[in-house]
Amino acid sequence: MTPLARRVLAVSASIGVVVAGAVVAPTAALAAPAPAPSAAPFLAPYYTELDVTGDAQVTTADLEALAPHLGVTSGDAGWADAAGFDLDDDGAVTASDLALLSERIIYDDGPFQIVEADAVAMQAAMNAGVITSVSLTQQYLDRIAAYDKVVRPTGVRPLNSIITTSKVALAAAAAADAIRAEKGMTGMLLGIPVALKDNYNTADMPTTAGCGCWSGNQTSTDATMVKGLRADGAVIVAKASMDEFAINLSSQWSAFQPDGTALTVSSPYDTTQTSGGSSGGTGAAIAANLAGIGFGTDTGGSIRIPSTYNQLVGVRPTVGLASRDGIVPLALSQDTGGPIARSVQDAAIALDAVVGEDAGDPITARQAGKVPETYTSYLDGESLTGKKIGYIASMLGTNPTTQRLFAQAKAAMEARGATVVAVTAPDGFSAIVGEGSGSGPEFNHDLQNYITAYLDPAVSARSLLAISQSPNIVPGRASNPYGQRAAVTESTYQAWAGPQGSHTLQLAKGKQIMTAFMDDQKLDAVVYPTGNPYGTIGTNMRLSPNTGLPAVTVPMGQGLSTEASTGGVNLEFLGRDFAEGPLLGLAFGFEQATHARTTPAAYGPLG
């Protein structure tokens, strides 16, 4: 069985639990499954023969009936009640049985509502024939056309979240529909429209990195992560805007704009505010439901900041989990790509598609043996029970809204069975969060390697110096930062990011310190606010990139009308190397306890 096939099997099992209500607690033994009636209402026998509730159809009720028996084997006392659920006759009730049952479901949830729809809802509607990938993709294209470049009645600025829409997306969606018709749902991303930050190479759309000087950069290949998404059936519907070359948090971009001009990405919750950066376009687009799932990149906060500004789930993976090959770099000592989604479940589904070793990014060899079959297997609503979670008081900051929301988050985790304790920062912590970003010393070196490998020959700005001299850039960036960073020499780069460079050694030391700290304190994770309402807490942003450790950020609430800002604030979970699965589990448990995300009112269903 291929890794993809194993993931599909495991994800199918996870879907069964999720659509049954996310958490199915053990209950008293249920009656043995009833045989299907001879006269079934539809599609007998495939969609009826595994019915376990006696209603002549396989529904989520059957999944609910099976789920409490997961893990029971023929040698257990409860086997008499569980044996009827052993659908593959292997002497145990396992995820395989749940998968066999879930794939027989005819989903029909009635009219499909695209706003806030998750991957499971989209797959359910496509499986039922309520929608197709073509119609779903067209709905997102229609929403982009209606909402992205216009000022809403309650708004001040347009979103400006999309640089390019795909001319082949509908054809890709039609291909996904054909696969579904022939083979069924081959994966959880089959036919799902995805938006990519415009620093991911795509063979069917230009990769501008947000810069007008690179509007003509049509690469001949996809980035490795994009290849993974397409292999799992995703439809790449658009390239999202970003802060030009991922330099700042303001999300200003000049791609396809007149010389000397730029656009700013707005938060759909308050268009007077930026959506954060540098993956601000992805954040705004996913929050406003302009695509199903998004991807960004994070050097020093660029996935997590747009996530907290826009009430989204963001995953900054361990450096080495997902290949950076084919992504325009900022600083490869810290760069990593990851999903930005409206739910933890969607983030886990998306992450499954992009992990893997890749010779084009040798650091991915570190992941061997450390990647689960599917990250969705960790999505347990009771995941917080019995866990010990630490927080460092200094990371809470002084913002009253953030402090209030963190106190509520702490209480919510404790109510779900977690122990949440204040811990003293370890020795060396100040040096970890005080270490600067590699974007200054590394950008010139790393960008030139990308230019050599991938930049379209027709593009004339073929060095950072040439970019600084171009009229097609965000105004005010010519000398600083571009000119200054173009002057960084190779010797300066090596002293910083070389094998024995000061930054290289500090990052390794930071990982060692934080891992030992979590081990010594017996912590399952460290938590802290990702930022303040429409603002950052700089030291918090640096902890994950300055250790290389993974972080998952999830909404924990919004400011009140009586407070200084009504903006959202996220809670961030930091864990050990390649611990994305456990972190997603904790984030899922927190999400299910709070349901803190809201929908931006100005970007509801199209009229």
Side-chain angles (χ1 to χ4, degrees):
M1 185 180 288
T2 66
L4 176 58
R6 288 196 297 271
R7 285 213 306 271
V8 169
L9 184 70
V11 171
S12 296
S14 175
I15 296 167
V17 176
V18 170
V19 295
V23 183
V24 184
T27 59
L30 299 171
S38 56
F42 51 75
L43 293 176
Y46 185 79
Y47 291 102
T48 61
E49 65 182 354
L50 297 186
D51 168 47
V52 295
T53 58
D55 61 356
Q57 55 189 318
V58 179
T59 67
T60 56
D62 298 278
L63 303 182
E64 291 173 349
L66 183 151
H69 300 280
L70 284 171
V72 179
T73 68
S74 58
D76 295 335
W79 182 244
D81 297 312
F85 298 96
D86 181 17
L87 303 178
D88 58 6
D89 295 319
D90 65 350
V93 180
T94 67
S96 175
D97 301 301
L98 193 57
L100 288 170
L101 194 58
S102 66
E103 69 185 14
R104 305 298 181 99
I105 291 179
I106 289 286
Y107 293 98
D108 187 357
D109 299 325
F112 174 74
Q113 174 53 262
I114 196 170
V115 173
E116 298 300 307
D118 60 20
V120 170
M122 295 178 204
Q123 294 296 352
M126 287 188 284
N127 286 348
V130 174
I131 60 170
T132 63
S133 179
V134 168
S135 66
L136 178 63
T137 301
Q138 186 63 61
Q139 285 189 64
Y140 279 123
L141 290 170
D142 291 345
R143 289 181 64 81
I144 291 169
Y147 284 150
D148 190 57
K149 297 298 191 297
V150 302
V151 177
R152 300 293 293 150
T154 59
V156 173
R157 298 192 310 242
L159 289 181
N160 293 326
S161 69
I162 300 296
I163 291 181
T164 310
T165 54
S166 171
K167 294 177 177 156
V168 301
L170 292 173
D177 287 333
I179 291 172
R180 190 182 303 274
E182 178 184 356
K183 301 178 181 178
M185 189 187 76
T186 56
M188 275 307 299
L189 287 179
L190 180 65
I192 303 294
V194 171
L196 303 171
K197 183 177 182 177
D198 201 14
N199 56 352
Y200 285 76
N201 283 357
T202 48
D204 51 356
M205 285 178 279
T207 299
T208 71
C211 188
C213 66
W214 277 18
S215 293
N217 181 31
Q218 180 57 68
T219 63
S220 60
T221 57
D222 290 328
T224 299
M225 288 176 66
V226 179
K227 292 176 183 176
L229 289 166
R230 293 198 205 267
D232 275 14
V235 175
I236 311 303
V237 68
K239 302 293 284 293
S241 56
M242 56 181 283
D243 194 86
E244 188 176 81
F245 287 109
I247 291 288
N248 289 328
L249 304 181
S250 58
S251 281
Q252 291 182 286
W253 54 281
S254 62
F256 302 107
Q257 302 307 305
D259 290 4
T261 66
L263 300 178
T264 298
V265 188
S266 303
S267 168
Y269 295 93
D270 180 354
T271 60
T272 68
Q273 301 283 348
T274 175
S275 66
S278 63
S279 309
T282 304
I286 300 307
N289 291 273
L290 304 189
I293 295 172
F295 274 82
T297 58
D298 191 304
T299 303
S302 295
I303 285 174
R304 294 162 294 142
I305 292 170
S307 294
T308 191
Y309 282 21
N310 298 291
Q311 301 184 34
L312 297 168
V313 176
V315 180
R316 177 191 158 86
T318 305
V319 176
L321 183 67
S323 173
R324 287 86 52 87
D325 190 43
I327 299 175
V328 181
L330 180 59
L332 287 174
S333 66
Q334 297 168 289
D335 285 353
T336 186
I340 297 176
R342 291 183 292 270
S343 69
V344 176
Q345 176 184 278
D346 279 0
I349 288 168
L351 190 60
D352 274 343
V354 298
V355 302
E357 295 183 57
D358 177 23
D361 187 2
I363 198 171
T364 57
R366 295 182 57 241
Q367 70 182 259
K370 300 175 182 177
V371 178
E373 293 290 349
T374 172
Y375 289 101
T376 62
S377 64
Y378 292 89
L379 305 186
D380 180 356
E382 297 300 315
S383 60
L384 288 164
T385 301
K387 299 300 191 297
K388 184 180 180 183
I389 297 172
Y391 68 93
I392 298 169
S394 63
M395 298 184 76
L396 305 185
T398 59
N399 183 282
T401 299
T402 302
Q403 291 185 331
R404 173 181 63 82
L405 292 172
F406 184 83
Q408 292 177 357
K410 179 176 180 290
M413 290 186 285
E414 290 172 337
R416 285 293 180 111
T419 300
V420 185
V421 296
V423 289
T424 302
D427 291 342
F429 184 77
S430 295
I432 294 172
V433 296
E435 177 72 1
S437 169
S439 61
E442 297 174 54
F443 184 42
N444 188 34
H445 174 278
D446 294 346
L447 183 68
Q448 194 59 51
N449 286 341
Y450 171 90
I451 289 170
T452 301
Y454 293 114
L455 191 66
D456 189 309
V459 176
S460 59
R462 307 193 68 80
S463 68
L464 185 52
L465 179 60
I467 290 168
S468 74
Q469 297 168 343
S470 170
N472 305 110
I473 60 175
V474 171
R477 296 191 179 184
S479 60
N480 182 17
Y482 298 149
Q484 289 183 359
R485 298 185 189 190
V488 173
T489 64
E490 180 65 16
S491 61
T492 299
Y493 166 81
Q494 290 296 337
W496 171 267
Q500 295 301 311
S502 61
H503 190 60
T504 302
L505 297 178
Q506 175 57 47
L507 266 55
K509 185 177 180 180
K511 176 177 289 188
Q512 181 183 27
I513 289 171
M514 286 305 298
T515 302
F517 171 67
M518 288 186 280
D519 290 345
D520 292 344
Q521 298 287 332
K522 296 181 172 55
L523 299 178
D524 293 285
V526 175
V527 294
Y528 44 89
T530 295
N532 296 317
Y534 294 116
T536 62
I537 304 174
T539 52
N540 293 13
M541 284 293 95
R542 294 173 187 160
L543 185 55
S544 175
N546 287 1
T547 59
L549 298 174
V552 176
T553 182
V554 61
M556 65 175 177
Q558 303 80 37
L560 303 173
S561 59
T562 55
E563 294 176 324
S565 172
T566 58
V569 180
N570 276 19
L571 182 69
E572 191 162 322
F573 293 80
L574 180 94
R576 294 167 176 80
D577 226 21
F578 296 103
E580 285 80 2
L583 289 178
L584 285 163
L586 295 174
F588 182 77
F590 178 76
E591 177 189 59
Q592 297 306 298
T594 58
H595 295 288
R597 173 173 161 75
T598 65
T599 305
Y603 300 90
L606 290 178

